[in-house]
Amino acid sequence: MFEKYDVIVVGAGHAGCEAAHAAAQMGSKVLLCTMNMNTIAQMSCNPAMGGVAKGQIVREIDALGGMSGIISDKSMIQFRMLNRSKGPAMWSPRTQNDRMRFAEEWRLALEKTPNVDFWQEMIKGIIVKKGRVVGVKTGLGIEIPGKSVILTNGTFLNGIIHIGEKQFGGGRTGEAAAKGITEQLIELGFESGRMKTGTPPRVDGRSLNYERMEIQHGDEKPEKFSYGDETKILEQQKNCWITYTNKAVHETLETGFDRSPMFNGRIKGLGPRYCPSIEDKINRFAERERHQIFVEPEGWDTVEIYVNGFSTSLPEDIQQKALRSISGFEQAKMFRPGYAIEYDFFQPTQLKATLETKLIQNLFFAGQINGTTGYEEAASQGLIAGINAHQNINENEPFVLKRADAYIGVLIDDLINKGTQEPYRMFTSRAEFRLLLRQDNADIRLTKKGYDIGLAKEHRWKAVQQKMEETKEILKVVKNIKLDPEWINPFLRKKKTAEIKEKTNMEKLIKRPHLGIADLLEANVIISDQLSTFSKEALEQAEIQIKYESYISKEKQMVNKIHQLEGYKIPSDFRYEQLKALSAEGRQKLLNIRPETLGQASRISGVSPADLSILTVYLGR
């Protein structure tokens, strides 16, 4: 019935869509399996993409040749660049999206992608022969042959939904859980665990009083995620709003704690530390009298509102009563209650850096199955798994991003070396080289890598080359432009920065805080004439390089030192048990994870500097 596919992707969420698209674009014949064709790329939780560190990931996906940035741009209803008041390492793009259009754009993109086929049915198991995956088995008992399989099951593996004292099986509201895969993987030797996440109620926007809330506009000059010209900047944006919980809300919520699955022990899974439920917030932060609630439209043409910050699994009557105590929500009508969901995951220490499993050849895991949370984290893993599934079956070099290459590299390195005891979420603080991993330079860092493996298109790489050439030219120009005190000092006084006493080159002034190229362009016609032909992106790139030159140089030196350790390869069959000088914990962790390099070994929790020294000496011999 089925031909033999190169790559079979199980699950069509953010990870599955990126995996299928990447492998197909590189030339693999792909089958994308989903239980429901109508929920491909559904935004199960908030209708938004990006945010702190997550926005950087979306830009990285786009730079490599993935689709999340393009889909986000085509479906966005608002754009905001977060943390503009801070340094460029912290700038993070975020879009509010039209939920229905996001899913529609993804499906249309996949249907237009040559080499992608679809199959709607639950996959209940994989087929393994001699330690290698050779296909999947469906709920109807159909066996579909494949050279590689990528599991991106999200919250569907033995999913259980909790609302108060009610609980029922499901991978998402209104959709069945997936059965069979967990049990088979455990039999094959994989370590499994349970995690929990949640979602807030959705309400009717017509029943809200927005005059009692704070309005949250999009950026006056919106940008977009994708570096390419396939998408355009928004000309019109929808507003969001902010309101707050209060003492009455908290007291109402507390009346339901005895029926809360989180507090009465029915939920066993590990919940997200950084996106807690509202009942968890008022319990953990009892001293706080209020918490922010973000009121977010679900799209251009719908009245449905996402109540961000009010994730809950309390009984629906308590949810309704508490909502109506929030300012602006006094007459709120609920479309559906919030709920918590428990699901199976597999410790990511069981994976290689390519996201291929160590136990079964050509079997890959991506997304929430690896213990992560968030669309962006899932999409980036799907992209890397799709790339490497194609590379594997074609006997090409594995595609691995290092920590200094991308936030995606940080994410995967953390997962495979440290594992996770709670849903893993990306933050800028997780990256030690965040000044190098900015949202503005993801194309410079990664597009050549994507182009070299056949994913990013040639016109994208040419555009990056043009941007780099322009940036170099701008750096030369600003070094040579001499500013005369007589005509620049009035402007400097206006900007409340020190005046100059002699002719000074433009570069020195750009290094000053709160003074940029755009300011100086505005101040002087001569400068404008020399720089007006350059793109906004190249001007921004040059300014950042000038302002942070010494800091960027120091980070690059640190990267070079660390790369020396990455050059020391450790044989896959290395016998750690023979090194008696290793600490017991270090030996156990090294045996379990089996790092490929000394650099990777140095990042494993429990491997001490002394263990690393012993290993270095032994390998040197």
Side-chain angles (χ1 to χ4, degrees):
M1 181 177 177
F2 287 95
E3 61 181 286
K4 188 171 186 177
Y5 284 92
D6 295 319
V7 181
I8 299 173
V9 180
V10 179
H14 298 261
C17 288
E18 285 288 4
H21 174 265
Q25 283 289 94
M26 294 172 72
S28 284
K29 185 68 178 171
V30 177
L31 180 68
L32 180 59
C33 304
T34 174
M35 290 197 286
N36 187 347
M37 290 281 288
N38 294 319
T39 56
I40 287 174
Q42 182 165 311
M43 297 179 115
S44 308
C45 203
N46 61 323
M49 287 292 282
V52 177
K54 292 167 173 279
Q56 283 87 328
I57 288 176
V58 178
R59 281 265 163 100
E60 291 173 352
I61 291 170
D62 183 75
L64 285 166
M67 288 296 293
S68 287
I70 291 171
I71 301 297
S72 299
D73 287 349
K74 286 184 175 181
S75 61
M76 70 173 159
I77 61 176
Q78 189 191 82
F79 180 93
R80 292 174 66 222
M81 185 67 77
L82 307 182
N83 293 329
R84 270 289 191 189
S85 61
K86 299 179 181 177
M90 302 299 290
W91 298 350
S92 303
R94 183 185 190 271
T95 57
Q96 200 67 39
N97 294 84
D98 185 309
R99 183 188 299 279
M100 290 184 285
R101 290 190 185 182
F102 185 93
E104 179 186 35
E105 289 290 351
W106 246 125
R107 176 162 174 172
L108 291 173
L110 288 168
E111 288 180 354
K112 290 174 185 173
T113 303
N115 293 331
V116 175
D117 290 345
F118 301 87
W119 184 253
Q120 178 176 289
E121 193 186 349
M122 186 181 80
I123 302 300
K124 70 175 186 179
I126 57 173
I127 305 169
V128 179
K129 291 181 180 177
K130 297 179 180 179
R132 179 194 294 261
V133 71
V134 293
V136 297
K137 184 179 288 187
T138 77
L140 291 174
I142 301 169
E143 294 190 354
I144 306 174
K147 297 176 185 176
S148 64
V149 173
I150 305 173
L151 297 182
T152 70
N153 303 79
T155 58
F156 282 79
L157 291 180
N158 292 322
I160 297 177
I161 292 172
H162 297 267
I163 304 175
E165 295 174 302
K166 305 179 183 76
Q167 66 179 59
F168 46 91
R172 196 158 46 204
T173 183
E175 296 183 64
K179 306 282 186 182
I181 290 178
T182 296
E183 293 73 16
Q184 182 190 11
L185 291 176
I186 290 172
E187 281 183 18
L188 288 167
F190 287 92
E191 176 193 348
S192 173
R194 294 285 278 176
M195 279 190 175
K196 165 253 175 187
T197 190
T199 192
R202 312 299 201 269
V203 301
D204 187 335
R206 298 168 297 183
S207 65
L208 303 183
N209 182 358
Y210 297 104
E211 290 182 2
R212 301 202 63 189
M213 307 177 199
E214 300 170 15
I215 196 164
Q216 190 177 48
H217 299 288
D219 285 356
E220 190 175 332
K221 294 180 180 178
E223 299 176 37
K224 61 192 185 80
F225 276 119
S226 181
Y227 292 97
D229 55 9
E230 298 96 330
T231 60
K232 296 179 181 178
I233 289 170
L234 274 180
E235 294 180 2
Q236 178 187 357
Q237 301 186 70
K238 288 206 79 164
N239 294 324
C240 297
W241 292 266
I242 298 174
T243 185
Y244 300 87
T245 62
N246 52 54
K247 189 176 180 182
V249 175
H250 298 181
E251 287 174 350
T252 300
L253 292 168
E254 286 171 352
T255 64
F257 278 9
D258 61 325
R259 291 186 284 159
S260 165
M262 193 178 78
F263 292 126
N264 62 23
R266 277 206 309 281
I267 290 179
K268 306 293 184 185
L270 305 158
R273 177 193 303 263
Y274 301 105
C275 190
S277 64
I278 188 65
E279 55 264 41
D280 199 19
K281 285 183 197 173
I282 64 173
N283 185 54
R284 282 165 53 188
F285 308 107
E287 73 285 356
R288 295 187 60 176
E289 294 183 355
R290 68 177 194 171
H291 295 278
Q292 270 188 329
I293 300 294
F294 297 91
V295 181
E296 301 177 345
E298 295 260 352
W300 287 113
D301 305 314
T302 180
V303 297
E304 190 171 357
I305 295 291
Y306 181 86
V307 190
N308 195 341
F310 204 85
S311 175
T312 181
S313 58
L314 287 168
E316 59 272 26
D317 58 322
I318 299 293
Q319 293 187 36
Q320 177 77 61
K321 189 176 177 183
L323 274 174
R324 289 191 167 183
S325 296
I326 296 172
S327 182
F329 279 69
E330 291 82 3
Q331 305 299 320
K333 294 179 182 178
M334 212 160 52
F335 278 172
R336 63 178 174 87
Y339 61 86
I341 182 166
E342 280 187 288
Y343 55 93
D344 295 333
F345 83 102
F346 290 83
Q347 271 298 343
T349 51
Q350 300 169 100
L351 304 175
K352 300 174 184 177
T354 58
L355 297 182
E356 183 186 18
T357 66
K358 295 173 183 175
L359 283 175
I360 306 295
Q361 191 174 348
N362 288 345
L363 175 64
F364 295 78
F365 292 171
Q368 283 178 286
I369 192 172
N370 291 336
T372 60
T373 180
Y375 305 145
E376 303 81 4
E377 289 89 342
S380 67
Q381 292 171 69
L383 181 75
I384 299 302
I387 290 170
N388 280 306
H390 173 85
Q391 295 293 85
N392 254 27
I393 60 175
N394 289 287
E395 298 182 354
N396 295 331
E397 283 292 309
F399 185 81
V400 175
L401 294 174
K402 299 184 178 68
R403 296 182 73 91
D405 292 332
Y407 273 94
I408 299 172
V410 175
L411 166 71
I412 294 173
D413 192 70
D414 278 354
L415 291 173
I416 66 170
N417 290 318
K418 299 173 183 176
T420 186
Q421 298 305 314
E422 60 190 39
Y424 180 102
R425 181 179 179 181
M426 179 52 73
F427 291 102
T428 50
S429 57
R430 295 193 190 273
E432 57 270 50
F433 306 119
R434 52 187 173 272
L435 192 51
L436 300 180
L437 308 183
R438 306 183 309 275
Q439 59 83 31
D440 60 90
N441 70 351
D443 54 344
I444 294 172
R445 290 185 276 121
L446 299 173
T447 299
K448 180 64 162 60
K449 293 178 185 291
Y451 175 66
D452 286 344
I453 59 171
L455 185 55
K457 301 298 184 188
E458 185 178 8
H459 73 273
R460 282 291 196 97
W461 172 228
K462 284 182 176 177
V464 174
Q465 289 175 300
Q466 174 70 20
K467 178 179 172 179
M468 290 191 293
E469 285 302 316
E470 281 193 32
T471 303
K472 283 181 187 176
E473 193 60 34
I474 293 166
L475 293 173
K476 287 179 188 175
V477 171
V478 298
K479 282 180 189 291
N480 294 326
I481 293 178
K482 297 289 184 181
L483 302 178
D484 193 297
E486 189 176 335
W487 49 259
I488 199 64
N489 279 342
F491 173 75
L492 297 179
R493 282 197 296 273
K494 184 181 173 183
K495 284 290 183 180
K496 297 180 180 178
T497 185
E499 297 177 29
I500 58 175
K501 295 178 181 178
E502 57 187 12
K503 281 191 175 183
T504 305
N505 71 29
M506 186 177 171
E507 183 186 43
K508 285 189 177 178
L509 288 182
I510 294 170
K511 286 182 180 286
R512 293 185 180 186
H514 313 301
L515 196 62
I517 290 177
D519 299 313
L520 295 167
L521 284 172
E522 178 190 325
N524 188 266
V525 177
I526 298 170
I527 299 171
S528 298
D529 287 345
Q530 294 190 58
L531 294 173
S532 60
T533 58
F534 296 109
S535 68
K536 173 180 171 288
E537 292 76 19
L539 288 167
E540 181 183 74
Q541 195 65 217
E543 182 176 316
I544 290 169
Q545 289 186 28
I546 291 166
K547 281 186 178 294
Y548 300 93
E549 182 183 13
S550 61
Y551 299 101
I552 291 171
S553 177
K554 284 178 183 176
E555 283 206 355
K556 285 181 176 177
Q557 288 173 19
M558 288 172 62
V559 169
N560 290 335
K561 287 181 181 178
I562 288 170
H563 279 179
Q564 290 175 5
L565 285 177
E566 298 294 345
Y568 287 96
K569 302 290 183 184
I570 303 175
S572 58
D573 58 351
F574 189 84
R575 302 186 68 180
Y576 296 102
E577 62 274 16
Q578 290 187 341
L579 293 186
K580 303 302 180 186
L582 290 174
S583 67
E585 183 184 7
R587 184 183 301 109
Q588 189 58 49
K589 292 287 180 71
L590 290 165
L591 280 166
N592 182 39
I593 294 172
R594 290 207 165 273
E596 295 177 17
T597 68
L598 275 178
Q600 185 184 350
S602 71
R603 297 187 296 275
I604 297 172
S605 178
V607 176
S608 68
D611 292 329
L612 197 66
S613 295
I614 293 162
L615 199 52
T616 303
V617 170
Y618 193 88
L619 287 169
R621 288 175 182 165

